[in-house]
Amino acid sequence: MGKSKAARRLLWGGACVVAGLVGFTAWAIKPAIAPVTPPAPISFDTTEIQRGEKLAAAGYCVTCHTAAGGKPFAGGLPMVTGFGTIYTTNITPDAATGIGSWSLAAFTRAMHEGVARDGSHLFPAFPYDRFTKTSNEDVKALYAYLMSQPAVSQAPKAPDMPFPLNVRLLQAGWKLLFFKEGRYEPVTTQTAEWNRGAYLAEGLAHCASCHTPRNALGAEKTGDARYAGAVVDGWFAPALNASNNSPVPWNADELYSYLRKGGTAYHGVAAGPMSHVVYQGMALVDDSDVHAVAHYFASMNGSASRNVDVAQVVAGALARSRFDASQTVERGANVYAAACAACHYNALSGPQAARPELGLKSSLSAADPTNLVNVILHGVSLKEGLPEAMMPAFGTALTNDDIAALVTYLRKTRTDLPPWQGVAQLVAKQRDDAKKN
Ligand code: HEC
Ligand code: HEC
Ligand code: HEC
């Protein structure tokens, strides 16, 4: 009796699992959308194409969809994730290898649901979890712009991921757990400018994709972790919420200048992955949109209530950097005097964006010296940094020990924060990782 009850229970349990799997599979399988003949560029309205161009800049489509030395939007850029390497696809209007045969409906489904024209699930390395917030009208303008670009024949590369991570159907499971489809909904208690900023930042501009830490399965964390800062491509994208400890608060003016021009006197320059956000993104969109994004972050980062006397903080940073000459017994001080002081000495003129005062940089107040070490090893090239300035690379001129001594010295003399731990290992790791790429 008992035995058959157990057997029945087992059967029932098994039936549930099967039904669940069948249900999941039925839900997970998406239909293909019929291919179309690539629409002629002339079929699109010119103003719509121009609007699409700015939206494409706001979403940095070209940054990810262009390989080093490759044609714009033709894809092939490797993106190294914790799960393997994914290559970006060709989003030029080539019918065979790009998205030329995609109807507006197919393109919209990709942007809003992360599903390709053939019905397969796309990986979230494509930030559709953010693009889903983009309005239908804006997706239509993006489509008009992309379909008016030169078609490039270049077949996309298959992802380099171990089984079963490469099974696209399983991406549906990820979506079930972490993805919420839906357009941006304005917050009625906020101003139009705030909502515009939030619409762009939370959607197309996907600031959170880099600035919010992710869980073990690669989904953005929520709650207090939103914009709490995260590691991305060997850099640290600092916090954009109230936990940002930059000596001078990030008010709307500072954010605007940094995003629009790539640097400010009080915050230094955008380097590494943030450089693309500026030069392939915020420098190309409407001025009012950059102000809106700046306003949105300034309203959430508590900068207004930090009560910092900026003049005093700046004077303090300048005074500290004047000490260097008297610290010559220390190795880090010697390295600084020999390699850095000639350019990073602002005592007479005050800080300038093109000559960042190191004590004001958040890379010195960060939890570890990742970004500082990267800048020392690789410099900030003309293309990457401010158009009128560059910082040379010291990767060959300085040894790992020199760099470790230098950053330890800078942390000690420019901040009141505890010394960094494990600096030597970190310098070696950043140097080795750079060689692999
Ligand atoms: C952070 C990098 C990144 C950015 C930024 C990005 N994409 Fe992508 N995109 C990808 C990756 C990676 C894939 C391929 C995903 C896959 O293979 O599952 C992809 C795939 C796509 C696809 C599906 C194409 C296909 O052939 O399957 C479309 C459409 C697309 N992106 C459009 C855009 C547009 C439009 C923008 C700008 C608004 C954009 N992407 C910005 C990384 C990016
Ligand atoms: C591709 C990844 C990426 C994206 C997308 C991105 N950021 Fe960044 N961001 C970074 C990195 C990395 C840094 C550190 C750069 C440095 O130290 O020079 C950074 C630095 C910053 C800083 C300076 C913070 C500080 O305290 O020094 C601000 C402000 C900022 N980002 C705002 C934004 C905003 C706003 C957006 C969206 C419009 C955005 N970022 C999108 C990667 C990104
Ligand atoms: C030849 C002049 C020059 C020298 C020497 C120099 N720098 Fe720079 N540094 C610059 C300039 C210019 C920038 C701004 C770069 C840009 O935007 O193109 C900069 C930027 C920086 C930044 C800010 C990058 C960011 O993320 O905002 C740091 C940190 C830095 N330098 C550290 C150092 C250190 C440490 C040394 C010594 C090893 C050094 N620099 C030597 C000119 C120099």
Side-chain angles (χ1 to χ4, degrees), residues 364-366 407-415 417-420:
L364 278 178
S365 38
V407 304
T408 303
Y409 167 76
L410 287 173
R411 172 82 163 187
K412 187 177 89 180
T413 52
R414 293 339 192 241
T415 77
L417 296 162
W420 283 314

Side-chain angles (χ1 to χ4, degrees), residues 251-274:
N251 64 19
D253 287 345
E254 283 293 299
L255 282 163
Y256 168 80
S257 301
Y258 183 86
L259 293 170
R260 187 63 161 180
K261 302 175 196 144
T264 84
Y266 295 157
H267 284 104
V269 301
M274 190 60 199

Side-chain angles (χ1 to χ4, degrees), residues 235 258 261-264 267-272 279 335-344 352-358 361-364 371-377 379-394 398 403 406-407 410:
W235 288 74
Y258 183 86
K261 302 175 196 144
T264 84
H267 284 104
V269 301
Y279 297 104
V335 177
Y336 186 81
C340 323
C343 296
H344 288 281
Q352 299 167 22
R355 220 163 49 192
E357 183 57 47
L358 299 183
K361 279 294 302 176
S362 67
S363 46
L364 278 178
N371 291 1
L372 181 60
V373 169
N374 286 350
V375 169
I376 297 172
L377 283 172
V380 184
S381 68
L382 263 186
K383 203 170 139 242
E384 201 188 2
L386 299 172
E388 74 274 15
M390 71 165 273
M391 144 109 191
F394 286 90
L398 299 179
I403 296 174
L406 171 61
V407 304
L410 287 173

